[in-house]
Amino acid sequence: MNVELRFYPDPVLQQRAAPIAALDEEVRQLAAGMLELMKDRRGIGLAGPQVGALHRIFVMSLGGEQPVDRVLINPEILDREGSVVGEEGCLSFPGLYAKIVRPEWIRYRALNLEGNVEEKEAEGLEARVILHETDHLDGILFLKRMSPAEKQMLSRSLRELEQDFEELHPDQSRGRAKARPRR
Ligand code: ZN
């Protein structure tokens, strides 16, 4: 399946994705396309809304010596503990990184592509990716998890992304453009 990456501030990134009811061929093709795109962009996680698919699915692959491709469907965070700061990026915000506070440890449940329920614990980077991607499924971007100071530091890059989006999609950002003085 040919999937295309959506960039901030595409409105689809702020919508809540719907649970996946059946693990059919369409879902398998979506997952395969998302994994391919994620690797292409050298990412470690990618969620449905980031390719315009408002379904509760994300893919991840943490790298290391034996990277494992994973597909998580209808994920739920059951428990979380601690808090830790780590640097995070997002494929929908190219070139932009920020320090984000996240729980250190989580317990989560998700379906895999075979339809089996996985209930597991994760910590460190793995927990961070699962939390970041699950946020995407609720329309929550990592911007929302940043401190005001962190956001301020990135304001120029954010504005550039907003301008790029406006140029590419003048129809979708009319409201946004109107609020700003014309040049
Ligand atoms: Zn992201």
Side-chain angles (χ1 to χ4, degrees), residues 41-57:
R41 303 281 177 141
R42 306 205 177 284
I44 55 175
L46 180 70
Q50 291 182 278
V51 297
L54 286 169
H55 306 303
R56 300 189 81 79
I57 179 172

Side-chain angles (χ1 to χ4, degrees), residues 13 45-47 50 88-93 102 129 132-133 135-136 140-142:
L13 294 171
L46 180 70
Q50 291 182 278
E88 249 173 64
C90 179
L91 289 177
S92 296
F93 293 76
R102 299 267 186 198
V129 172
H132 177 115
E133 302 309 332
D135 267 357
H136 270 302
I140 296 170
L141 298 172
F142 77 151

Side-chain angles (χ1 to χ4, degrees), residues 8 23 25 69 75 104 125 130 152-153 155 161 169 175 181:
Y8 170 83
L23 299 179
E25 186 53 27
D69 293 347
E104 204 166 15
L125 183 62
I130 293 170
Q152 180 60 38
M153 257 169 21
S155 61
L161 286 175
H169 311 274

